[in-house]
Amino acid sequence: MFMGEYQHSLDEKGRVTIPSKLREELGERFIVTRGLDRSLFVYPIDEWRNMEEKMKALPTTQADIRAFARMFFSGAVESEPDKQGRISIPQHLREHAQISRDLYILGVSTRIEIWASEIWKEYSQKAEESYEALAEKIIGLGI
């Protein structure tokens, strides 16, 4: 399980170091793709395969499902860390997440998320203000 919040920066070549605690569980190869809320999602290969299977089961006759699948899969790239634990984030993904330099890497259960620093700070401040209300909403889901 991935968890934690880590502050990092891109280097001049568009690379970022994945924290060792997360890298160990991520494995040697993984998938980086467009996430939600202007973030990037990073999936271990096994979890990516689970997502593929779930997406295959959805009806392609619905336009919103087709649109989401196109964006989700077309943005995906296979990646692996170099000897220093760095990964290269392609330009199209940096643009999606509006990452220019400073960023946050989050462990979020079955995936890692990468956020531009400013966007994460704004998002997390809003989420923190409504944390209790969010908890009340999801308690009905059996959590």
Side-chain angles (χ1 to χ4, degrees):
M1 175 173 56
F2 298 107
M3 60 184 161
E5 176 180 299
Y6 307 86
Q7 244 183 313
H8 284 273
S9 297
L10 283 180
D11 67 13
E12 63 282 347
K13 294 181 180 179
R15 299 174 302 191
V16 64
T17 302
I18 300 294
S20 61
K21 287 182 180 181
L22 300 178
R23 199 169 55 239
E24 290 171 14
E25 191 169 339
L26 197 53
E28 293 181 19
R29 293 180 323 126
F30 44 86
I31 305 296
V32 183
T33 193
R34 292 178 184 100
L36 303 175
D37 303 309
R38 302 310 262 175
S39 70
L40 302 177
F41 288 175
V42 182
Y43 291 98
I45 294 295
D46 288 344
E47 187 61 31
W48 178 254
R49 288 187 182 125
N50 289 340
M51 288 298 295
E52 283 181 313
E53 291 304 314
K54 289 176 185 177
M55 293 295 287
K56 283 182 198 177
L58 298 174
T60 58
T61 55
Q62 293 183 13
D64 55 347
I65 292 172
R66 289 191 311 272
F68 178 80
R70 286 180 187 125
M71 296 304 292
F72 188 72
F73 289 106
S74 69
V77 295
E78 189 172 321
S79 188
E80 57 185 74
D82 64 14
K83 288 181 168 72
Q84 287 79 38
R86 299 173 299 195
I87 64 166
S88 180
I89 301 176
Q91 183 65 31
H92 74 281
L93 293 177
R94 291 194 312 258
E95 288 172 3
H96 167 78
Q98 299 176 356
I99 296 170
S100 57
R101 178 140 174 86
D102 296 328
L103 56 86
Y104 279 85
I105 299 173
L106 312 174
V108 186
S109 184
T110 60
R111 70 177 178 269
I112 293 170
E113 295 184 358
I114 301 175
W115 292 71
S117 187
E118 311 80 40
I119 295 173
W120 171 247
K121 287 177 184 175
E122 182 180 320
Y123 179 88
S124 63
Q125 181 180 4
K126 287 179 185 175
E128 193 164 327
E129 290 170 2
S130 61
Y131 188 65
E132 283 81 13
L134 292 170
E136 288 177 13
K137 286 182 182 178
I138 67 169
I139 200 73
L141 300 175
I143 296 175

